[in-house]
Amino acid sequence: MKSHTEYLTLNVPGRMEFLNITSRVEEAVRSSGVQEGIVLVNAMHITASVFINDDESGLHADYKEWLERLAPFDASPQRYRHNRTGEDNADAHMKRQVMGREVVVAITKGALDFGPWEQIFYGEFDGNRPKRVLIKVIGE
Amino acid sequence: MKSHTEYLTLNVPGRMEFLNITSRVEEAVRSSGVQEGIVLVNAMHITASVFINDDESGLHADYKEWLERLAPFDASPQRYRHNRTGEDNADAHMKRQVMGREVVVAITKGALDFGPWEQIFYGEFDGNRPKRVLIKVIGE
Amino acid sequence: MKSHTEYLTLNVPGRMEFLNITSRVEEAVRSSGVQEGIVLVNAMHITASVFINDDESGLHADYKEWLERLAPFDASPQRYRHNRTGEDNADAHMKRQVMGREVVVAITKGALDFGPWEQIFYGEFDGNRPKRVLIKVIGE
């Protein structure tokens, strides 16, 4: 069994943003030499997500509005107990649970085995500082 | 390490429906010959889910009502920017994030290592056309 | 390829609670002898979650309130059809979908390859009875 590990560092300006990291994952899969296996891609921070969806700016704006409605940003210590600790990001911990921490993608014949519109995104919900994404390839 | 790849094609009548695909995944695991490992099962389309829950029709009706409340269908271009592109399925991209893209299931002694009520479902949120599910088995 | 399987049994008092199971997963990884690979950790019951987030009691209280707002507990057969079967836990099946069934974590140099605050939690949404969590390690 082969394995290969990479870390991306991303610094997103603004609180909430989605970055397409598909090509970075494809490079890691190529570097691994794995032909058949899986790749795990996960946020290493608990106010961020890795998810698979469409690279369409209208949809991304819809996601932001929708997530804001499900879990509104509120820095005050009234709405969220977590924000009594000096943090202001309780909402980001919730948004991340809706969008997920990680994806696992099949590798077939050396490539990501994707449907027609699947793209991998880093989802930031508490930005303006460097954060890391882990890529782990295993297979043969 | 052994690996085995299969694709299911599903054509669900209606916009939203849940199909039990557990036996199809069990067949793929048997075909693979893997005794110890994992199986990844994922939707290859971004308006669909694969998830694990109960095969109970009342619960499925509850899920539909609940998802419709969290992310209502609205084909008009007013509510969702994504629907200004000619699409009408922005809500389906949200429902899919709540229910998830994929599951990873342990294989122990050649079988899905499941608790008492776990069943694997394909969740369709924008149906009436053929879509694919990927099954990737790795292990030994 | 090595593989290693463990089952935890957890009995949570009260309907909804979060238990930090990180050290139990670390022990399983050590027992496996795997240096490079992945570990799958999943709830074996469909009204429970395994998720990764912060070990901060204020955040956990926020999560409970937020999940109760998204999918309120209601034992009556009026709101949820599932509760016409004699069950009272339809809400728990929804909360579990928001928080997720499973996590997949990379193992690098024999340890969980975690960011600064990542901790693994068992999330119970229908407690007061024993439930199981599966830990499956694969790698080399």
Side-chain angles (χ1 to χ4, degrees):
Chain A
M1 203 199 76
K2 283 177 184 169
S3 71
H4 179 80
T5 312
E6 284 192 28
Y7 307 92
L8 310 179
T9 300
L10 303 161
N11 197 333
V12 171
R15 283 196 79 82
M16 181 155 46
E17 201 52 71
F18 308 131
L19 300 182
N20 191 330
I21 57 170
T22 312
S23 63
R24 309 285 294 269
V25 178
E26 286 170 338
E27 281 168 40
V29 169
R30 265 196 300 275
S31 302
S32 75
V34 166
Q35 293 296 303
E36 297 292 325
I38 58 165
V39 55
L40 164 69
V41 190
N42 69 267
M44 300 184 78
H45 298 257
I46 53 190
T47 52
S49 288
V50 170
F51 67 95
I52 288 176
N53 218 293
D54 199 0
D55 199 352
E56 199 279 298
S57 62
L59 179 66
H60 292 189
D62 293 334
Y63 272 146
K64 289 177 195 172
E65 212 174 282
W66 177 66
L67 290 166
E68 200 55 39
R69 189 161 56 79
L70 292 182
F73 171 70
D74 187 342
S76 82
Q78 275 78 51
R79 187 194 298 247
Y80 299 120
R81 289 174 191 79
H82 183 57
N83 292 351
R84 296 174 199 166
T85 66
E87 296 283 355
D88 66 358
N89 62 9
D91 67 299
H93 290 274
M94 291 162 191
K95 289 169 172 131
R96 120 70 168 254
Q97 289 305 125
V98 174
M99 297 303 275
R101 168 188 179 261
E102 79 220 7
V103 296
V104 178
V105 181
I107 301 167
T108 305
K109 294 177 188 162
L112 297 176
D113 198 342
F114 263 165
W117 299 102
E118 290 190 280
Q119 295 284 302
I120 307 173
F121 290 91
Y122 173 71
E124 177 62 80
F125 305 113
D126 183 25
N128 297 314
R129 53 204 171 105
K131 296 206 186 163
R132 288 195 306 157
V133 166
L134 183 152
I135 305 172
K136 189 92 187 185
V137 186
I138 64 170
E140 228 157 39
Chain B
M1 202 199 77
K2 283 177 184 170
S3 71
H4 179 80
T5 312
E6 283 192 26
Y7 307 91
L8 310 179
T9 300
L10 303 161
N11 197 334
V12 172
R15 282 196 80 80
M16 184 157 42
E17 201 54 72
F18 307 131
L19 300 182
N20 191 330
I21 57 170
T22 313
S23 64
R24 309 285 295 271
V25 178
E26 286 170 337
E27 282 169 40
V29 169
R30 266 195 301 274
S31 302
S32 75
V34 166
Q35 293 296 303
E36 297 292 325
I38 58 166
V39 54
L40 164 70
V41 190
N42 69 266
M44 300 184 78
H45 299 257
I46 54 190
T47 51
S49 288
V50 170
F51 67 94
I52 288 176
N53 218 293
D54 198 0
D55 199 352
E56 199 279 298
S57 62
L59 179 67
H60 292 190
D62 293 334
Y63 272 146
K64 288 177 196 172
E65 213 173 281
W66 177 65
L67 290 166
E68 200 54 39
R69 188 161 56 77
L70 292 181
F73 171 69
D74 186 342
S76 82
Q78 276 77 52
R79 186 194 297 250
Y80 300 119
R81 289 173 191 80
H82 183 57
N83 293 350
R84 296 173 199 166
T85 65
E87 296 282 354
D88 66 359
N89 61 8
D91 67 299
H93 290 273
M94 289 162 193
K95 288 169 173 130
R96 120 69 170 255
Q97 290 306 124
V98 175
M99 297 303 275
R101 168 187 180 262
E102 78 219 8
V103 296
V104 178
V105 181
I107 301 167
T108 305
K109 295 178 186 161
L112 297 176
D113 198 341
F114 263 165
W117 299 102
E118 290 189 281
Q119 295 284 302
I120 306 173
F121 290 90
Y122 173 70
E124 177 61 81
F125 305 112
D126 183 26
N128 297 314
R129 53 205 171 104
K131 296 207 187 163
R132 289 194 305 156
V133 165
L134 182 152
I135 304 173
K136 188 93 187 184
V137 185
I138 64 171
E140 228 156 38
Chain C
M1 202 199 77
K2 283 177 183 169
S3 71
H4 179 80
T5 312
E6 284 191 27
Y7 307 92
L8 310 180
T9 299
L10 303 161
N11 197 333
V12 171
R15 283 196 80 81
M16 183 156 43
E17 200 54 72
F18 307 130
L19 300 181
N20 191 330
I21 58 171
T22 312
S23 63
R24 309 285 294 271
V25 178
E26 286 170 337
E27 282 169 39
V29 170
R30 264 195 302 275
S31 301
S32 76
V34 167
Q35 293 297 303
E36 297 292 324
I38 58 164
V39 55
L40 164 70
V41 190
N42 69 265
M44 299 184 79
H45 299 257
I46 54 190
T47 51
S49 288
V50 170
F51 67 94
I52 288 176
N53 218 294
D54 198 0
D55 198 353
E56 199 279 299
S57 62
L59 180 67
H60 292 190
D62 292 334
Y63 271 146
K64 289 177 195 171
E65 214 173 280
W66 177 66
L67 290 165
E68 200 56 37
R69 188 163 56 79
L70 292 181
F73 171 70
D74 186 342
S76 82
Q78 276 78 51
R79 185 194 298 250
Y80 299 120
R81 289 172 191 81
H82 183 56
N83 293 349
R84 295 172 200 168
T85 64
E87 296 283 355
D88 66 358
N89 62 9
D91 67 300
H93 290 273
M94 289 161 193
K95 289 169 172 128
R96 119 70 169 255
Q97 289 306 123
V98 175
M99 298 303 275
R101 168 188 179 260
E102 78 220 8
V103 296
V104 178
V105 181
I107 301 167
T108 305
K109 294 177 187 163
L112 298 176
D113 197 341
F114 263 166
W117 299 102
E118 291 190 280
Q119 295 285 301
I120 307 173
F121 290 91
Y122 173 70
E124 176 62 80
F125 305 113
D126 183 26
N128 296 314
R129 53 204 171 105
K131 296 207 186 162
R132 287 195 306 156
V133 165
L134 182 152
I135 304 172
K136 188 93 186 184
V137 186
I138 64 169
E140 228 155 37

